[in-house]
Amino acid sequence: MTDLELLLPGQADTLVRDLRSFPLREIGSGGWNRQHENLEKLNMQAILDASGGQGEPIQELLVTHGKIPILVEELIAVEMWKQKVFPVLCRLEDFKPQNTFPIYMVVHHEASITNLLETVFFHKEVCESAEDTILDLVDYCHRKLTLLVARSGHCMPPEEEGSQDSTPMQELQKQAELMEFEIALKALSVLRYITDCVDSLSLSTLSRMLSTHNLPCLLVELLEHSPWSRQEGGKLQRFEGGRWQTVVPSEQQKLSKLDGQVWIALYNLLLSPEAWARYCLTSFAKGQLLKLRAFLTDTLLDQLPNLADLQNFLARLALAETQTPKKDLVLEQIPEIWERLEQENRGRWQAIAKHQLRHVFSPSEQELRMQARRWAETYRLDVLEAMAPERPRCGYCHAEASKRCSRCQSEWYCCRECQVKHWEKHGKACVLAAQGDRAK
């Protein structure tokens, strides 16, 4: 994997330099699509660099050229598009897309950016280079984690499998729901990396995390509900590697990566003198935090020994006096990206949706073929296979697969029977991809 390179250093530098923010009206346009493809390439190269231990030039380029604020603005813009424009678009009478790939790319854009941020925010200098947009990113992570807690135990994300009777839009909505769940899990990792920098964050950011959002209590709720774990058919399953996987009994006491992220974030927030000095310990907050004692078992402490410090902290907290919320007048920065975008586009959601229906999401066959060719160039099979955490899965039954579709070379199957059954769903995409290859 260390020898595999998607982008040459000069190419990566050019792609990073060219990153810019787009108005909501231009989301899905030609220029926006090219930037989405470039972001995917940067995302894949960053993952290859991190997993191959080669140093991380993508992270360095993003910091050098000051592009982290651009990524945060693009992230919040596509989040707003999904909330404000996409529902209006779906309600338009003449919205009957023959192909949902262009819309899927927009929906997937948010996942692409969160994945890139998750990869690069491991480095503290990236957090510092976010500047004032760190407030907007904290708010974004809070929105995603709140949604994650709200959905826990009620409507878990579906498996990525479709019914033969599903329409393309129904399939897209299922994929978007699963994607939203995965985005929230990545937002958890991003938030944890932000807490690694808690001692160097601005007072406004600390106030936002501790007073406005009360993140310690939200993280306790995440541990309680553990939305990335479930019981299915009497077996424990965890969401890992983009799908639900059954955990064998011998591994059930092993700390999952996501549980670990929550514990580290709590450790950072509660044991930092800078953060704790600004936290108001109300009776509710005290009660929530003391719930953590039940989770601090010997098995957990063996896996994360530093949590012994948190255990001692909670023992002292049990004896501490609670406080009443303070109402002092404090001047502080507030996030501005969401508010600015909403003000710029308020009352124009339907106009934006109609414009995009006519000019963005109704492409001709020739435009689709050209787009398919660019996607094939972006998603190189050798790179995707190098990034895959495990062997490919059958597109129909999700069993381990060893046979690839001979026409498009992108879908995998475990047997001929599954390929035949899946053809009705896969056929259109397969023909489109193959036409794109021939057009090269």
Side-chain angles (χ1 to χ4, degrees):
M1 185 179 298
T2 56
D3 296 329
L4 186 59
E5 205 168 41
L6 177 66
L7 296 171
L8 297 173
Q11 292 175 312
D13 185 82
T14 300
L15 296 187
V16 171
R17 282 178 182 272
D18 290 345
L19 291 176
R20 66 182 182 92
S21 55
F22 285 80
L24 259 67
R25 179 185 173 90
E26 292 184 28
I27 286 179
S29 64
W32 184 94
N33 265 313
R34 283 188 289 276
Q35 176 157 294
H36 171 74
E37 292 158 13
N38 292 340
L39 273 172
E40 286 285 21
K41 292 175 183 177
L42 292 170
N43 190 12
M44 290 187 283
Q45 186 63 57
I47 293 172
L48 290 173
D49 291 343
S51 58
Q54 303 180 48
E56 305 199 29
I58 302 302
Q59 160 254 320
E60 294 168 6
L61 289 171
L62 289 169
V63 171
T64 300
H65 297 307
K67 295 299 183 178
I68 296 298
I70 295 293
L71 290 180
V72 175
E73 180 160 350
E74 278 292 279
L75 178 67
I76 293 171
V78 76
E79 179 196 20
M80 180 171 287
W81 183 89
K82 286 167 64 177
Q83 290 187 24
K84 304 287 189 179
V85 179
F86 187 44
V88 176
L89 186 67
C90 292
R91 290 196 297 268
L92 295 177
E93 289 185 9
D94 47 351
F95 180 65
K96 298 173 182 177
Q98 298 300 309
N99 193 299
T100 57
F101 275 129
I103 306 172
Y104 176 83
M105 283 297 132
V106 177
V107 175
H108 184 258
H109 191 63
E110 185 179 4
S112 298
I113 298 177
T114 51
N115 198 74
L116 180 56
L117 292 177
E118 180 190 29
T119 303
V120 302
F121 256 77
F122 178 79
H123 303 273
K124 292 187 178 182
E125 59 267 27
V126 176
C127 185
E128 294 167 1
S129 74
E131 300 175 343
D132 293 344
T133 62
I134 197 70
L135 285 163
D136 299 273
L137 188 55
V138 165
D139 267 29
Y140 172 85
C141 292
H142 176 260
R143 287 193 293 272
K144 295 300 177 184
L145 297 188
T146 301
L147 187 63
L148 197 57
V149 169
R151 289 181 173 179
S152 297
H154 298 293
C155 50
M156 299 307 292
E159 299 285 358
E160 197 172 4
E161 55 187 29
S163 165
Q164 297 295 332
D165 299 326
S166 298
T167 66
M169 279 305 298
Q170 287 172 334
E171 286 296 320
L172 178 64
Q173 287 166 351
K174 289 178 184 178
Q175 292 170 338
E177 186 179 348
L178 179 63
M179 205 180 301
E180 190 67 30
F181 180 71
E182 294 185 71
I183 288 169
L185 300 184
K186 293 184 183 301
L188 170 59
S189 295
V190 172
L191 181 66
R192 173 255 147 136
Y193 294 136
I194 293 174
T195 67
D196 285 346
C197 307
V198 68
D199 291 331
S200 60
L201 294 174
S202 68
L203 296 180
S204 296
T205 306
L206 283 177
S207 175
R208 199 80 183 168
M209 296 170 74
L210 299 169
S211 300
T212 306
H213 297 317
N214 199 348
L215 287 180
C217 287
L218 179 60
L219 292 169
V220 172
E221 287 194 67
L222 278 174
L223 278 180
E224 281 190 294
H225 292 93
S226 191
W228 44 83
S229 301
R230 70 181 186 185
Q231 290 289 333
E232 189 74 14
K235 296 180 179 179
L236 175 66
Q237 292 187 335
R238 288 184 183 142
F239 194 83
E240 296 175 344
R243 64 187 185 89
W244 290 101
Q245 301 187 50
T246 299
V247 183
V248 297
S250 61
E251 296 286 314
Q252 291 183 4
Q253 295 301 313
K254 186 177 179 180
L255 185 68
S256 72
K257 177 184 175 182
L258 291 164
D259 283 305
Q261 298 284 44
V262 177
W263 279 112
I264 294 171
L266 281 166
Y267 181 94
N268 290 337
L269 290 174
L270 297 179
L271 271 68
S272 162
E274 284 287 329
W276 187 249
R278 287 164 178 77
Y279 188 62
C280 183
L281 185 66
T282 63
S283 56
F284 170 77
K286 180 178 179 180
Q288 287 293 102
L289 295 178
L290 289 178
K291 290 179 180 179
L292 294 173
R293 293 185 296 182
F295 295 96
L296 288 166
T297 62
D298 291 341
T299 303
L300 176 60
L301 293 173
D302 286 342
Q303 296 175 74
L304 278 179
N306 286 353
L307 293 184
D309 295 334
L310 181 59
Q311 190 175 47
N312 294 333
F313 167 84
L314 293 172
R316 296 192 299 272
L317 184 70
L319 305 175
E321 294 291 329
T322 59
Q323 304 166 283
T324 55
K326 299 176 182 178
K327 296 184 179 179
D328 298 336
L329 180 61
V330 179
L331 295 177
E332 60 182 34
Q333 290 176 287
I334 60 172
E336 62 87 27
I337 295 176
W338 180 279
E339 184 66 26
R340 172 169 54 79
L341 291 175
E342 196 165 39
Q343 286 181 356
E344 290 172 357
N345 297 282
R346 186 174 289 124
R348 300 177 57 228
W349 310 119
Q350 187 160 5
I352 292 172
K354 288 182 176 179
H355 167 81
Q356 292 180 333
L357 174 61
R358 289 193 301 270
H359 301 289
V360 176
F361 299 128
S362 300
S364 65
E365 281 296 318
Q366 183 180 2
E367 288 171 329
L368 280 173
R369 283 195 293 271
M370 291 175 62
Q371 184 66 66
R373 181 180 63 187
R374 292 199 298 270
W375 288 334
E377 292 170 351
T378 299
Y379 301 104
R380 274 176 37 191
L381 292 175
D382 58 338
V383 175
L384 294 176
E385 289 171 8
M387 292 168 54
E390 56 185 23
R391 289 182 62 83
R393 296 276 166 176
C394 176
Y396 184 78
C397 70
H398 302 287
E400 194 171 283
S402 59
K403 304 179 187 300
R404 181 184 282 166
C405 175
S406 60
R407 177 177 289 189
C408 70
Q409 295 289 308
S410 62
E411 190 66 272
W412 290 81
Y413 297 101
C414 62
C415 62
R416 175 69 177 168
E417 183 181 0
C418 282
Q419 184 177 13
V420 172
K421 290 179 178 178
H422 194 241
W423 178 251
E424 185 175 345
K425 178 182 175 183
H426 172 61
K428 291 182 181 179
C430 179
V431 172
L432 185 63
Q435 288 173 340
D437 285 339
R438 287 198 298 270
K440 288 183 181 180

